[in-house]
Amino acid sequence: MKMKFILCLALILGAFPVASVSAEDADDLRIMVSGNGTFAFDLYQAVKHRDGNLFFSPYSVSTALAMTYAGARGETAKEMADVLSFSLEEESLHASFSLLQSNLNAIQDKGHITLNVSNSLWAQEGYCFLDDFIGLNKKYYGAGLRVVDFLKHTEEARQTINAWVEDETRQKIQELLKPGMLDSFTTLVLCNAVYFKGDWLTQFDKQKTKDADFFVSADNVIEVPTMNQELKLPYKDFDGFSAISLPYQGRDLSMIILLPEEKDGLAGLEKNLIYNNVKGWIDGLAEAEEADVLVSLPKFKTTSEFDLSKVLSDLGMPHAFREADFSGMTGKKDLFISRVVHKAFVDVNEEGTEAAAATAVVMTRTAVMSPPRVFRADHPFLFLIRDNQSGSILFVGRIADPRRT
């Protein structure tokens, strides 16, 4: 069923205090966050046609692709920058991602909520990557290089990466990489994982949670467990919808809910869902006076999975997936993106919200290095012994039963 509201954490839009940094760094951070916001709703428009609930972390996708962008060159880099709305010089861009990640992780240190961001690089054993590329990802994303063997132990490598994602998301994101997504040509996987758990500043009373009507469409009504309470919080009416802001403990993060006036008004609201509009709505909500509001909010839990490869290519970065130039990774044009996979989970209840997401960018090499062929002599065979210099065949034989002498 389609949700009748749209939710987003304030961190996605950068609506949180910036740590004490230089004015230049703060400006760069705002530019980067604005670009990420633009990409967030470009991506939403590209995937909104899926049936049912929808939930993803644009921050996770942007971060994983920013790590990948560090190795892009030429037309590949230009297309990625356009689609991802990366407008800063590369060094400033990665420094801003680093600052944002530090700010997010620092929120957890206050002790009110759990918010953790982690990155990793998984490289083919024995494959040479440029020190600059590895160093940049380590410096700005904390993504240490981890060596696995996609060539001979593909399944083991897949399970190892999935286990890392599960650990970083408190087991909420499982099986990010499905069987068959990696193969012996896989050379590098870049991962981002985000985990959030926060209690409402004012929790809902479980005794007040009752089954209530929910209009899946104007003429289709179901009953769902619905939380209820009266709160004093930011509320504002806009053209065709209303908005509230529900803060979490510590007030560093909030859930913004946009509710269409009409029972079937979600599609109309989605049409206007671009970053500049959303930012304007949130700014307007922030300026609104707090009001006494009777809030009724359904409990929900949902998981969404995406293969974003075609989506990103259609948005305008096809070169990353074919005829790619990621020479900033290896010094050669030997890699391309074969998959960008994303999975997200959210659980909203009386206590608060738990959410997690992970993104993996799978880099595959062109057919330069073939996987090893298997030669298993487990049935009758012929053999010969020859002199390689003259070509003279010295012996010929057949083995039909190795047990016989």
Side-chain angles (χ1 to χ4, degrees):
M1 71 182 170
K2 268 203 173 186
M3 290 188 217
K4 290 302 176 185
F5 52 82
I6 300 165
L7 62 94
C8 53
L9 298 180
L11 67 91
I12 295 174
L13 299 173
F16 57 89
V18 175
S20 180
V21 294
S22 71
E24 183 178 358
D25 289 343
D27 285 343
D28 286 346
L29 179 59
R30 279 188 283 271
I31 292 170
M32 187 272 288
V33 167
S34 176
N36 284 359
T38 298
F39 170 68
F41 294 107
D42 286 347
L43 186 57
Y44 187 98
Q45 294 296 336
V47 301
K48 70 180 183 182
H49 304 293
R50 290 169 45 129
D51 290 334
N53 297 336
L54 181 65
F55 184 72
F56 66 98
S57 169
Y59 168 71
S60 177
V61 177
S62 289
T63 301
L65 288 170
M67 294 162 62
T68 309
Y69 175 72
R73 299 293 182 267
E75 189 65 21
T76 300
K78 182 180 182 302
E79 288 180 353
M80 291 185 71
D82 288 344
V83 169
L84 297 166
S85 294
F86 291 165
S87 59
L88 293 170
E89 294 295 326
E90 189 163 344
E91 191 76 14
S92 297
L93 175 76
H94 298 303
S96 294
F97 266 98
S98 179
L99 178 56
L100 177 57
Q101 181 169 325
S102 295
N103 285 345
L104 296 178
N105 285 334
I107 292 174
Q108 180 172 241
D109 296 337
K110 297 180 180 180
H112 300 297
I113 63 171
T114 300
L115 180 60
N116 186 62
V117 181
S118 302
N119 302 302
S120 60
L121 300 178
W122 304 84
Q124 169 61 37
E125 180 181 75
Y127 210 82
C128 293
F129 290 89
L130 298 178
D131 290 342
D132 286 349
F133 172 72
I134 300 300
L136 184 150
N137 272 286
K138 176 65 175 176
K139 176 180 179 181
Y140 292 120
Y141 298 94
L145 183 67
R146 300 155 191 254
V147 175
V148 290
D149 190 353
F150 299 111
L151 187 64
K152 296 179 181 177
H153 302 288
T154 310
E155 180 60 15
E156 182 180 330
R158 184 184 73 87
Q159 293 178 359
T160 299
I161 297 171
N162 281 343
W164 178 87
V165 170
E166 290 168 14
D167 287 345
E168 295 298 325
T169 60
R170 311 304 193 269
Q171 311 304 311
K172 296 305 177 183
I173 303 297
Q174 299 190 11
E175 199 81 350
L176 174 66
L177 294 168
K178 300 289 189 294
M181 286 187 172
L182 307 181
D183 58 28
S184 55
F185 283 91
T186 302
T187 307
L188 178 68
V189 177
L190 306 96
C191 288
N192 168 269
V194 183
Y195 177 80
F196 165 70
K197 191 175 193 321
D199 290 342
W200 303 118
L201 183 64
T202 304
Q203 295 188 345
F204 290 80
D205 183 351
K206 291 184 179 181
Q207 298 300 317
K208 295 182 179 179
T209 297
K210 308 292 182 182
D211 285 346
D213 288 348
F214 187 91
F215 290 82
V216 176
S217 63
D219 55 1
N220 184 8
V221 185
I222 62 173
E223 282 197 342
V224 297
T226 302
M227 306 179 294
N228 300 277
Q229 73 168 307
E230 184 174 349
L231 292 167
K232 197 173 189 64
L233 46 75
Y235 173 98
K236 188 172 177 63
D237 286 315
F238 294 92
D239 184 16
F241 68 96
S242 56
I244 61 171
S245 176
L246 288 174
Y248 295 99
Q249 290 284 341
R251 294 186 178 274
D252 288 296
L253 301 180
S254 298
M255 178 183 287
I256 310 296
I257 302 176
L258 311 178
L259 180 67
E261 286 180 7
E262 303 296 330
K263 296 291 191 296
D264 56 357
L266 181 61
L269 178 57
E270 285 182 321
K271 289 180 181 178
N272 294 315
L273 205 64
I274 60 174
Y275 176 66
N276 285 339
N277 286 347
V278 174
K279 186 177 184 304
W281 298 334
I282 292 178
D283 288 345
L285 183 59
E287 295 169 359
E289 290 187 8
E290 290 192 342
D292 292 320
V293 184
L294 289 170
V295 178
S296 294
L297 180 67
K299 295 173 62 174
F300 60 90
K301 181 190 296 186
T302 191
T303 300
S304 297
E305 299 182 63
F306 307 84
D307 185 336
L308 297 174
S309 308
K310 186 176 187 305
V311 171
L312 291 166
S313 180
D314 290 347
L315 280 174
M317 47 180 278
H319 277 83
F321 299 91
R322 61 176 188 272
E323 301 176 358
D325 183 356
F326 287 102
S327 55
M329 292 184 179
T330 64
K332 300 174 288 185
K333 297 180 182 180
D334 55 345
L335 300 177
F336 64 94
I337 299 176
S338 57
R339 289 181 184 272
V340 178
V341 293
H342 181 74
K343 190 171 183 178
F345 161 89
V346 64
D347 180 5
V348 174
N349 55 41
E350 291 90 349
E351 288 84 13
T353 302
E354 185 175 25
T359 306
V361 180
V362 180
M363 307 297 299
T364 299
R365 60 184 178 277
T366 54
V368 175
M369 182 189 299
S370 299
R373 298 183 181 276
V374 176
F375 184 90
R376 183 175 293 110
D378 58 0
H379 49 274
F381 60 91
L382 297 173
F383 71 101
L384 55 87
I385 299 174
R386 71 186 286 270
D387 170 25
N388 291 327
Q389 185 170 349
S390 67
S392 176
I393 297 174
L394 304 181
F395 303 93
V396 175
R398 179 186 71 196
I399 298 296
D401 184 349
R403 298 171 301 174
R404 298 179 61 178
T405 60

